[in-house]
Amino acid sequence: MRFKQLIPGLGALTLIASHSSLGWSASPFIPPSVPLAVRTPYLSAWLPQGAGTALNDAWPTFWTGSTLGWAGYIAVDGQAYTFLGDPGGVDGTEKALQKSLQFTATQSVFVLTAGTIDLTVTFLSPVEPDDLVKQSLPFSYLALSAVSNDGKAHSVQLYTDISAEWVSGDDSLTVNWTISVGDILVHQVQLEDQSLFTEASDHIQHGSAYYATEWSANTTYQIGQDVIVRQQFVSSRILRNTQDTAYRAVSDDWPVFAFAHDLGIVTGATTPIVIAVGHARDPAIEYIIAGGALQNRSLYFWSQFSSVGSAISSFLTDYTAALARAQAFDSKVQSDASKISTEYAAIVALSIRQTFGAIEITISSGSNKQWNTSDVMVFMKEISSDGNVNTVDVIFPAWPAFLYANPTLGKYLLLPLFEYQATGQYPNKWSIHDMGASYPKALGHNDGNDEPMPLEESGNMLIMTLSYIQKTQDFSLISRYTGLLDQWTQFLVAEALIPANQISTDDFAGSLANQTNLAIKGIIGIRAMAEIASLLGDDTKNKNYTSIAASYVQQWQPLALSKDGTHLTLSYGNDRSWGLAYNLFADRLLGTNLFPQSIYDIEAAWYATVADSFGVPLDTRHTYTKSDWQMFTAATLATTSATLRDALISGVHNYASAALESNSEPLGDWYETLNGDVEGFRARPVVGGHLALLVLS
Ligand SMILES: *[C@@H]1O[C@H](CO)[C@@H](O)[C@H](O)[C@H]1NC(C)=O
Ligand SMILES: *[C@@H]1O[C@H](CO)[C@@H](O)[C@H](O)[C@H]1NC(C)=O
Ligand SMILES: *[C@@H]1O[C@H](CO)[C@@H](O)[C@H](O)[C@H]1NC(C)=O
Ligand SMILES: *[C@@H]1O[C@H](CO)[C@@H](O)[C@H](O)[C@H]1NC(C)=O
Ligand SMILES: *[C@@H]1O[C@H](CO)[C@@H](O)[C@H](O)[C@H]1NC(C)=O
Ligand SMILES: *[C@@H]1O[C@H](CO)[C@@H](O)[C@H](O)[C@H]1NC(C)=O
């Protein structure tokens, strides 16, 4: 059975996957988990899929897999149907039947049939790379539109609620709540015991969850026990505009925060009912400044709004415009990525919300107590591998997404690292690994005991800095932080050619001496500094580093190649070893052409002989791989072998679209090439690296 469901406003469909056993279609495919509301490390709601799960067959979950109560019913001529979540304990309901799922870069759209009405459920998580205010609003849209499917008129009411699971990782904690009623209706729920900058099970224990909609005469609300509020709607199709004020634990008679919308008599498609869901806190980030002092940082949107309520109000009224911007962004991504291939466009679409959902844009309050919009810093949570803040080797793989969408966001991600190290508090001569062990505390590492990846991070900082300037012509980073950049380069000059025993970014694979791929990164880092010196007018330094890098490439080749010359080794002298030499990507990105074409030819030929159905293994130590590094490799070798490029894309595509029972996690970048099973990582921003092919011109 093949469905061809065209969803209005989503542009041309690419590929329609048919899943006749499920009874619904997925376009472009069934991902391991569908992004629903994914905008910050703490607003991260997904629908786990496995082999395919309808919107009303499971509860949405936080990225960790814990439940986020989010329920929806539609009543048609008096009969209620569940369309969202898996609520039980309510009499007289049926289940709507899902017809389709489609995702784009910013939207996940479900169509379900509830008797004689079709309901379109749109989850829009805006990606607003050019608007710091809008990108920093920690809210996401749910939009609901009904249409008759038998040409006749029907009475339709809609119901949705969220539970207090949106505010805590611990269901035994007590929450309290309010509803504010005005031009907009806003449910606000928070932990009674707030704990600043503290997480429990990766949820922040500070701030509030919000569920809001515009007021109309046909909108009602209620707060109370889940089964009571839901039964109220199912039986009466209207809520009571009341709140239960017995504040209690999240799981104690599960308080829910509900809205009902009466659409009246429906024939043609209705204007969407729009609901905002979000989580806001203030301050958002704790950041170390000079002399060990700590600074509170707030989300950028505070520069424009004096309360969360006014921010939500603006967010709700902006829906039509936000949708138009999202559609334009989705179309651009689709059109750019489709020039590579249809499979590639699908991978990119799935990766973008996940990348942007790991960052928060912040400002400080200036010495004059006004918001200082000249002091912008972006913070990124590593997510799942650990909770580190602004991990350099996590920003590096994600970098293509920022270069593509707006390189200035990349600069704002690097600034916290540069500024902190410029205070002189970090004691090591190489680049720091991260800004803090646990988000959202960016407290640095004054003891120098951060995870040691000296070559990796020093090379990364130099490469990202130069690529930022090449895209923007903005010299501010290199003029302000010349000293640090040169210090890291001197470290690379000493250490890059013969890498000591150390870990690379792929720390899960263990440490190793003489890593061929690490040497590549270090050598390109030296060359990047040569370019930076030239931009700063320092010809002596430019010549020195250019000649050192060139000489290292000459010395590196015989060390790095297997004796028979068929491939690069994983580590010098181990002829039977090999690995993805994804660091060559930087040579292409920066246009430095340091490494001879023969190296690219050799690698392209070699990978073609070792690809499994789900891609090329990371290296000879294991059969697993990384999706980001495969896309870096595909980009690197795209002009050498389009066939290999497409094979690498297919490997990642086969994995992301496999719809395996065992894989229900927000897209994991680390997986098994033999069977497509996911390894430990999920929801990480490194999938921004899937955009690598879009940033090489
Ligand atoms: C809820 O708890 C917060 C945090 O302790 C407190 O500031 C607020 O006043 C409480 N609200 C209500 C309605 O009790
Ligand atoms: C509000 O509900 C009434 C009663 O169901 C209906 O007649 C009317 O069309 C609805 N109005 C809007 C704006 O949806
Ligand atoms: C940060 O904000 C908290 C909560 O408002 C406050 O108690 C603390 O003093 C602030 N810290 C600084 C350094 O301003
Ligand atoms: C605002 O931030 C910039 C950049 O950090 C800084 O130079 C400036 O002094 C700050 N202004 C105030 C008023 O604090
Ligand atoms: C080139 O750079 C290296 C590493 O910083 C330094 O040791 C050397 O003295 C420099 N040579 C010249 C000619 O500047
Ligand atoms: C690393 O490679 C160099 C050059 O081949 C060699 O001299 C050195 O022994 C190697 N180090 C280790 C730990 O194998």
Side-chain angles (χ1 to χ4, degrees), residues 334-673:
Q334 175 70 23
S335 143
D336 291 345
S338 295
K339 287 180 193 138
I340 313 281
S341 72
T342 304
E343 288 192 338
Y344 182 62
I347 296 167
V348 167
L350 184 60
S351 306
I352 288 182
R353 267 171 291 182
Q354 181 165 323
T355 307
F356 281 82
I359 65 163
E360 297 188 292
I361 304 173
T362 70
I363 46 175
S364 61
S365 164
S367 45
N368 54 3
K369 303 288 170 212
Q370 306 288 309
W371 296 116
N372 187 354
T373 51
S374 305
D375 178 22
V376 183
M377 290 185 178
V378 174
F379 290 87
M380 175 188 273
K381 182 170 172 179
E382 180 168 332
I383 301 194
S384 91
S385 37
D386 61 41
N388 288 180
V389 186
N390 287 37
T391 310
V392 177
D393 63 292
V394 170
I395 297 175
F396 181 78
W399 192 248
F402 299 104
L403 277 192
Y404 174 78
N406 179 6
T408 302
L409 292 175
K411 166 179 155 172
Y412 293 149
L413 273 162
L414 299 184
L415 269 176
L417 296 152
F418 272 121
E419 264 307 287
Y420 167 62
Q421 288 172 95
T423 66
Q425 296 172 94
Y426 182 65
N428 298 322
K429 54 186 183 290
W430 54 83
S431 160
I432 200 168
H433 169 270
D434 63 78
M435 259 322 295
S438 354
Y439 204 88
K441 294 182 184 179
L443 304 182
H445 292 280
N446 288 0
D447 61 2
N449 285 334
D450 48 321
E451 189 177 9
M453 291 187 192
L455 263 184
E456 183 81 61
E457 311 302 29
S458 301
N460 285 342
M461 289 301 288
L462 287 155
I463 291 163
M464 289 190 284
T465 300
L466 178 59
S467 88
Y468 166 72
I469 297 162
Q470 289 179 337
K471 293 276 181 190
T472 63
Q473 306 307 315
D474 168 10
F475 285 25
S476 61
L477 287 180
I478 56 170
S479 44
R480 192 173 167 94
Y481 306 111
T482 323
L484 278 173
L485 292 161
D486 197 53
Q487 173 191 322
W488 298 331
T489 309
Q490 288 177 33
F491 176 76
L492 293 178
V493 168
E495 296 287 331
L497 182 59
I498 308 291
N501 191 351
Q502 66 195 288
I503 49 174
S504 75
T505 180
D506 306 309
D507 53 0
F508 47 83
S511 76
L512 192 62
N514 282 331
Q515 294 187 57
T516 302
N517 191 40
L518 259 189
I520 294 171
K521 178 163 282 168
I523 297 169
I524 298 173
I526 297 167
R527 178 55 194 272
M529 187 62 201
E531 299 291 320
I532 290 169
S534 159
L535 293 169
L536 291 169
D538 189 337
D539 287 341
T540 314
K541 202 162 267 172
N542 166 264
K543 288 212 181 67
N544 188 24
Y545 289 149
T546 300
S547 103
I548 292 172
S551 136
Y552 281 9
V553 171
Q554 290 308 315
Q555 298 174 63
W556 168 88
Q557 285 191 67
L559 294 169
L561 280 165
S562 64
K563 280 194 193 65
D564 64 4
T566 56
H567 61 272
L568 292 175
T569 57
L570 171 65
S571 59
Y572 300 165
N574 184 354
D575 277 359
R576 276 181 306 181
S577 72
W578 54 266
L580 284 172
Y582 52 82
N583 284 328
L584 287 168
F585 172 73
D587 197 24
R588 293 287 202 226
L589 177 68
L590 302 176
T592 35
N593 298 317
L594 251 181
F595 290 82
Q597 181 58 34
S598 58
I599 294 292
Y600 295 91
D601 294 339
I602 288 167
E603 287 304 275
W606 178 258
Y607 296 140
T609 68
V610 292
D612 289 313
S613 28
F614 295 93
V616 175
L618 182 61
D619 60 54
T620 31
R621 287 173 288 185
H622 303 274
T623 51
Y624 57 58
T625 193
K626 294 279 275 81
S627 59
D628 47 352
W629 301 143
Q630 286 183 94
M631 292 297 94
F632 268 51
T633 308
T636 307
L637 299 174
T639 54
T640 305
S641 166
T643 312
L644 179 72
R645 175 197 77 179
D646 292 340
L648 285 161
I649 292 169
S650 288
V652 174
H653 181 271
N654 290 349
Y655 154 68
S657 66
L660 299 179
E661 199 67 62
S662 55
N663 189 359
S664 279
E665 303 167 356
L667 190 61
D669 49 295
W670 178 26
Y671 71 91
E672 180 54 59
T673 57

Side-chain angles (χ1 to χ4, degrees), residues 26-46:
S27 171
F29 55 67
I30 298 178
S33 199
V34 181
L36 299 181
V38 178
R39 293 215 69 195
T40 76
Y42 305 123
L43 180 62
S44 186
W46 303 75

Side-chain angles (χ1 to χ4, degrees), residues 19 21-26 29-34 47-58 98 101 110 656-664:
H19 301 277
S21 59
L22 295 172
W24 48 272
S25 65
F29 55 67
I30 298 178
S33 199
V34 181
L47 185 69
Q49 288 299 296
T53 302
L55 187 59
N56 55 3
D57 269 341
Q98 183 163 313
L101 154 67
F110 298 81
S657 66
L660 299 179
E661 199 67 62
S662 55
N663 189 359
S664 279

Side-chain angles (χ1 to χ4, degrees), residues 220-349:
T220 51
Y221 66 84
Q222 195 166 333
I223 301 172
Q225 185 181 354
D226 56 349
V227 288
I228 292 175
V229 177
R230 291 167 189 163
Q231 189 70 61
Q232 163 67 29
F233 174 80
V234 167
S235 304
S236 313
R237 292 167 302 286
I238 189 165
L239 298 176
R240 297 161 59 94
N241 291 341
T242 56
Q243 58 166 324
D244 158 353
T245 50
Y247 305 138
R248 55 189 184 267
V250 174
S251 61
D252 181 358
D253 284 343
W254 301 96
V256 298
F257 309 88
F259 293 123
H261 293 85
D262 186 352
L263 302 186
I265 303 300
V266 171
T267 316
T270 59
T271 333
I273 292 296
V274 180
I275 297 167
V277 63
H279 189 287
R281 66 193 195 283
D282 189 63
I285 299 277
E286 188 175 33
Y287 177 68
I288 182 168
I289 54 176
L294 299 180
Q295 180 189 64
N296 287 339
R297 302 188 61 88
S298 298
L299 295 182
Y300 193 98
F301 78 83
W302 284 105
S303 62
Q304 194 97 343
F305 299 102
S306 55
S307 68
V308 175
S310 59
I312 294 179
S313 182
S314 158
F315 184 77
L316 279 171
T317 49
D318 191 40
Y319 176 71
T320 308
L323 181 63
R325 287 193 304 274
Q327 286 166 345
F329 180 77
D330 290 349
S331 301
K332 177 173 167 18
V333 169
Q334 175 70 23
S335 143
D336 291 345
S338 295
K339 287 180 193 138
I340 313 281
S341 72
T342 304
E343 288 192 338
Y344 182 62
I347 296 167
V348 167

Side-chain angles (χ1 to χ4, degrees), residues 102-120:
Q102 182 181 23
F103 67 81
T104 64
T106 63
Q107 300 172 67
S108 298
V109 181
F110 298 81
V111 178
L112 298 97
T113 297
T116 50
I117 289 286
D118 281 1
L119 178 67
T120 299

